[in-house]
Amino acid sequence: MPSSGPSARRGPSGAWNRLKPVVTDPLDAYGLPSKGERRLHDYKTQETYYGRIVERYMKFCASTGGSEGLEKAFAALAIRDNNNSNTTTTTRDETGKPILARQISSTDRPNDMPSILLAMRKLREGILGSRRRDSFAQRAYMFIIHASILSRHWESYQPALLYLLHQIHPVTPLAPPELQEFVGYRILDLACRQYELLDAMAVKLEFKHRDRRVATVLRSLIHDDWVRLWRVKRAVDGHQRAILEFTVERMRLHALKCVGRSYMNADKAFIERTGDAQWDELVKTGVGWQLQESGNVVIRKPKAK
């Protein structure tokens, strides 16, 4: 006779036992401190979370397959002014505000940088909320600034730069080479992205900044000297070059306008050197001059008498 006890009414549990546990991304373990997250105000939690961010960032860099692939991956994250482009997507925070406009990657590797940038924002807000200004805060902010600059994500590196220079540095001073480096980023950001040349000069004088390449960039922008700017752009390091990208289109347009007012026709190679770009790229940006089979570019035609 079959048993009528509780065990007889128990349904099969094998299916439940086979369910895999939910895998949580360590970077998503905390919310934004500005939205009420309190755990990231703890010093030990900040240090552990920082280690996870650095580990993920290093894996991201290694997954791109070398310096060229890494440059393409960062370029895919560059902020675009054209929000209607079909090749861009937008990541938003909890309030619906755009955090990052980025190009869809052309490779089959997932682009993990938006998650890393959001995690860096959480850490930055946690350090800010705890008013931490020790050597760890200094190291974490330096890392955040470097990674954010390469991503051209000014929403991350600008507030981090200001806090590092004006809050952390007076309490935990940066070494002289580090101070020169990060003040240089601030000067370039003011000059190239915001086009506030007077403010950039004021910061240069305030911190007694002496980087020759940064000074050359300032002189180039003040005098609209695109030839000097293209030359120094090839000489600066990757972080400085990433900030310089914000001014490239403005200077390119100025250079091409000068050519258009000065020449009736010119050699294609000369036009490419002047615009610091290949002919196909210049055409995409709106250059409507006529390229002949001989390699000569017709800029203007003589007016008929």
Side-chain angles (χ1 to χ4, degrees):
M1 183 175 179
S3 173
S4 59
S7 60
R9 296 190 298 270
R10 186 181 301 128
S13 60
W16 293 100
N17 292 333
R18 288 194 299 270
L19 290 177
K20 295 181 180 180
V22 177
V23 179
T24 303
D25 189 334
L27 298 186
D28 294 336
Y30 306 104
L32 287 165
S34 60
K35 305 301 179 183
E37 175 64 72
R38 303 288 298 177
R39 291 173 293 174
L40 280 174
H41 290 172
D42 179 72
Y43 283 13
K44 185 64 177 178
T45 303
Q46 291 171 3
E47 293 165 11
T48 302
Y49 195 55
Y50 170 73
R52 292 173 181 171
I53 295 173
V54 172
E55 180 183 6
R56 182 71 67 83
Y57 178 78
M58 297 306 294
K59 286 182 179 179
F60 165 77
C61 293
S63 70
T64 58
S67 58
E68 184 176 348
L70 182 60
E71 181 67 22
K72 289 181 179 179
F74 280 127
L77 291 160
I79 299 174
R80 304 296 179 184
D81 292 331
N82 183 8
N83 294 326
N84 296 323
S85 173
N86 294 327
T87 60
T88 61
T89 60
T90 303
T91 302
R92 299 177 179 270
D93 62 15
E94 291 83 351
T95 65
K97 181 180 178 181
I99 296 176
L100 178 68
R102 66 183 181 89
Q103 289 184 338
I104 298 173
S105 177
S106 59
T107 67
D108 56 358
R109 298 187 184 93
N111 201 331
D112 202 23
M113 201 60 199
S115 298
I116 298 172
L117 287 170
L118 180 58
M120 289 192 297
R121 177 186 170 186
K122 295 174 185 177
L123 177 62
R124 178 165 52 83
E125 289 185 0
I127 294 174
L128 178 64
S130 63
R131 301 185 182 278
R132 189 171 186 179
R133 290 174 286 184
D134 58 4
S135 59
F136 167 78
Q138 183 188 86
R139 184 171 70 255
Y141 264 71
M142 289 166 64
F143 168 78
I144 290 171
I145 292 166
H146 279 143
S148 302
I149 285 177
L150 291 178
S151 304
R152 281 79 162 176
H153 194 223
W154 66 267
E155 294 98 328
S156 295
Y157 76 71
Q158 184 190 30
L161 259 175
L162 294 175
Y163 191 75
L164 177 68
L165 294 176
H166 298 292
Q167 299 296 327
I168 296 178
H169 174 63
V171 177
T172 307
L174 292 160
E178 293 171 342
L179 181 61
Q180 290 289 304
E181 175 189 355
F182 287 93
V183 170
Y185 298 153
R186 176 61 177 156
I187 294 171
L188 289 176
D189 181 68
L190 285 167
C192 298
R193 184 181 64 82
Q194 303 181 52
Y195 205 57
E196 297 289 348
L197 299 178
L198 288 178
D199 290 344
M201 291 297 298
V203 172
K204 186 178 187 300
L205 293 174
E206 177 186 357
F207 287 94
K208 298 181 175 59
H209 190 263
R210 294 182 297 274
D211 189 313
R212 179 177 54 84
R213 292 169 297 185
V214 173
T216 301
V217 171
L218 280 177
R219 285 196 298 271
S220 302
L221 295 175
I222 291 171
H223 297 289
D224 287 329
D225 188 348
W226 73 86
V227 175
R228 180 179 291 179
L229 184 72
W230 296 159
R231 289 174 179 170
V232 74
K233 182 172 175 282
R234 297 185 180 96
V236 298
D237 61 34
H239 297 93
Q240 293 173 326
R241 186 162 53 251
I243 302 178
L244 273 173
E245 288 294 332
F246 285 106
T247 197
V248 163
E249 289 303 322
R250 180 172 60 245
M251 288 297 286
R252 176 177 291 127
L253 178 62
H254 171 72
L256 294 175
K257 282 183 176 180
C258 290
V259 171
R261 289 192 296 264
S262 305
Y263 295 89
M264 302 291 290
N265 58 76
D267 186 69
K268 173 188 171 185
F270 171 75
I271 300 295
E272 290 177 334
R273 288 196 303 271
T274 302
D276 194 38
Q278 296 298 312
W279 176 255
D280 292 341
E281 297 177 31
L282 294 175
V283 171
K284 291 179 181 178
T285 61
V287 172
W289 301 332
Q290 183 181 355
L291 175 63
Q292 299 180 329
E293 293 183 1
S294 62
N296 187 60
V297 178
V298 178
I299 300 172
R300 289 180 295 155
K301 293 182 179 181
K303 294 182 180 180
K305 293 183 180 179

